[in-house]
Amino acid sequence: MKSRILVINCGSSSLKFALIDTASGDAVLTGLAEKLGLAEGVISFKHESGKDSQPLTEASHDAAMHAIISRLRSLDLLDSVKAVGHRVVHGGEHFKASALIDDTVVAEIEKCAKLAPLHNPAHLLGIRTAVQQFPGLPQVAVFDTAFHQSMPEQAYLYAVPMSLYRDHGVRRYGFHGTSYRYVSAEAARMLGKPLAETAVVCAHLGNGASAAAILGGKSVDTTMGLTPLEGLVMGTRSGDIDPGVFGYLASELKLDVNGVTDLLNKQSGLLGLSEISSDCRELEDAALAGDAAAILALEVFSYRLAKHIAALTVALGRLDALLFTGGIGENSSYLRARVMKQLGFLGLKLDEAANNAFIRGKAGRISATDSVPALVINTNEELMIAQDTATLAGLDA
Ligand code: AMP
């Protein structure tokens, strides 16, 4: 009997899942339930036998899980599910690694919910639903923040009264850790070096974007902070901003805290700058057609990214490789080229032909032979979650 892990990434209105084979690491069945909580949800499936989607009349997380179970049963896969792994965005300072879920772990995730009010409650809903529907199966939580718990104080502390850190947990936590863990290990393999001897900067560029300095396989600094708003320009998030803007906007626009938070999280970034779209691909098409607003938005994005990558090398003291991953990092030769050109002083030189020819799904090098290596690596957070889950569930042997 094959052993497989069901990986769940539960959002407030969505549930993404993948069934991962523990031996091969392949995704046997993947899918996404969307518009949960709205009038009509929908769930889509992808399997070697094809792709399809169906409406979810109840549009709840429970109904989505029922639909997944019924599909697993009809494909004769249900009995192969040996454990469930959950992505959890915020593990605070408590979780420095993945954890086998029990009541204490659930209570700690609940405590962290004030730090990620949009994410952790949704993950808890996913955990509760899965525990109910897969009674007796081990369930594991894998945290986006855990990888960055190795950051030193000088990197994670804000220069605010220490009592805010002590009493309220105000510090930089960082996110995308599961992706960084996978990509940095892959990079070591591609560089032919032991992970413990590598010093890399990795840019995870998707709708949410961050970069991290990873020394010997451990995070030593990253661009996101207490929340995933700090750092790089993102699809709809501003990234770094003068904190003074917050009070200024509140008084000028008569907005409350939620109003300003919403503006900086949902109406800013590439969308706010371009006034066209938050989607990098659409902006690239517009930029290539000569649209000045799209060009400007992508310039701000790439300049901010280059500036942060250079800053992160301070934490490393050297640079063995620059890594690109995430939807934008894996696909946008346009942005990769712009960032690389601005970082020539770090010894990075683009191989334009390799950059333009790069095909998604294949990890590869986009730097010239006499350059510090720049690698594009397809991230695989589901695989990392499945591996941690298998290990903690004792399924490794
Ligand atoms: P993610 O959040 O990792 O799924 O990444 C989503 C982002 O990747 C969006 O901004 C997409 O526009 C961008 N993206 C996906 N494919 C491409 C592509 N071929 N060229 C440029 N950007 C892309």
Side-chain angles (χ1 to χ4, degrees):
M1 165 61 70
K2 296 248 188 199
S3 150
R4 298 189 174 114
I5 308 293
L6 183 62
V7 174
I8 306 263
N9 182 354
C10 200
S12 54
S13 65
S14 68
L15 195 162
K16 199 173 159 198
F17 67 93
L19 183 68
I20 308 284
D21 192 280
T22 47
S24 67
D26 292 339
V28 183
L29 174 72
T30 58
L32 174 67
E34 292 175 283
K35 300 190 185 170
L36 304 179
L38 300 179
E40 250 191 43
V42 62
I43 185 162
S44 57
F45 296 98
K46 190 171 161 203
H47 179 250
E48 60 181 13
S49 59
K51 285 188 203 176
D52 67 292
S53 60
Q54 63 188 56
L56 280 171
T57 36
E58 207 194 296
S60 64
H61 290 78
D62 253 347
M65 198 68 88
H66 270 298
I68 296 168
I69 290 175
S70 118
R71 180 58 61 100
L72 288 169
R73 187 174 291 119
S74 69
L75 291 168
D76 210 11
L77 294 169
L78 190 57
D79 289 343
S80 71
V81 182
K82 300 294 181 227
V84 184
H86 297 265
R87 175 195 178 208
V88 179
V89 163
H90 221 306
E93 284 192 328
H94 184 84
F95 293 105
K96 301 193 184 331
S98 303
L100 197 57
I101 296 175
D102 58 15
D103 290 348
T104 320
V105 166
V106 167
E108 286 298 336
I109 297 173
E110 263 164 3
K111 275 195 211 158
C112 298
K114 64 181 178 196
L115 294 167
L118 296 178
H119 292 99
N120 277 26
H123 303 321
L124 284 163
L125 185 60
I127 289 170
R128 291 197 173 105
T129 311
V131 167
Q132 250 172 26
Q133 311 238 5
F134 290 96
L137 282 196
Q139 312 253 348
V140 168
V142 179
F143 302 91
D144 282 22
T145 48
F147 182 66
H148 298 295
Q149 281 296 301
S150 48
M151 284 196 289
E153 284 175 319
Q154 65 188 29
Y156 74 68
L157 284 176
Y158 290 117
V160 295
M162 280 301 276
S163 59
L164 296 183
Y165 168 57
R166 281 194 304 268
D167 303 340
H168 301 283
V170 175
R171 54 158 282 178
R172 307 180 63 253
Y173 291 93
F175 299 87
H176 294 136
T178 310
S179 172
Y180 288 131
R181 200 148 54 93
Y182 176 80
V183 173
S184 54
E186 278 297 295
R189 207 180 46 72
M190 288 165 73
L191 295 168
K193 275 187 165 191
L195 181 60
E197 290 171 21
T198 56
V200 299
V201 171
C202 179
H204 177 112
L205 311 173
N207 278 322
S210 72
I214 304 167
L215 187 63
K218 295 194 188 321
S219 171
V220 284
D221 203 352
T222 189
T223 57
M224 282 179 169
L226 175 80
T227 74
L229 181 58
E230 189 178 338
L232 306 179
V233 175
M234 305 179 218
T236 61
R237 289 175 234 163
S238 64
D240 288 343
I241 201 157
D242 176 355
V245 168
F246 216 90
Y248 181 75
L249 287 182
S251 89
E252 283 291 299
L253 303 181
K254 309 280 177 283
L255 290 173
D256 62 8
V257 171
N258 289 337
V260 182
T261 304
D262 200 70
L263 210 132
L264 298 178
N265 274 288
K266 298 190 181 151
Q267 299 171 48
S268 299
L270 290 174
L271 174 67
L273 282 165
S274 69
E275 301 181 309
I276 299 172
S277 171
S278 63
D279 189 286
C280 178
R281 193 172 356 186
E282 276 180 41
L283 291 179
E284 253 185 64
D285 291 345
L288 292 171
D291 186 292
I295 293 171
L296 180 63
L298 294 173
E299 286 311 322
V300 177
F301 182 102
S302 52
Y303 172 68
R304 174 92 56 89
L305 174 57
K307 200 164 85 165
H308 268 288
I309 290 170
L312 287 168
T313 62
V314 173
L316 299 174
R318 68 175 204 272
L319 183 65
D320 292 347
L322 174 61
L323 319 177
F324 290 97
T325 194
I328 297 173
E330 293 168 32
N331 290 294
S332 177
S333 52
Y334 179 103
L335 279 174
R336 290 194 305 251
R338 268 165 181 68
V339 172
M340 290 281 289
K341 278 182 189 147
Q342 294 174 83
L343 293 172
F345 69 95
L346 287 178
L348 286 153
K349 268 190 235 167
L350 186 70
D351 176 337
E352 279 192 39
N355 185 42
N356 293 333
F358 189 82
I359 303 164
R360 190 171 202 189
K362 283 197 173 176
R365 188 171 169 139
I366 54 158
S367 48
T369 43
D370 58 344
S371 164
V372 168
L375 308 174
V376 181
I377 299 176
N378 304 287
T379 194
N380 196 341
E381 288 158 291
E382 285 83 10
L383 180 62
M384 288 267 69
I385 295 173
Q387 286 177 349
D388 280 10
T389 303
T391 303
L392 286 169
L395 299 170
D396 270 349

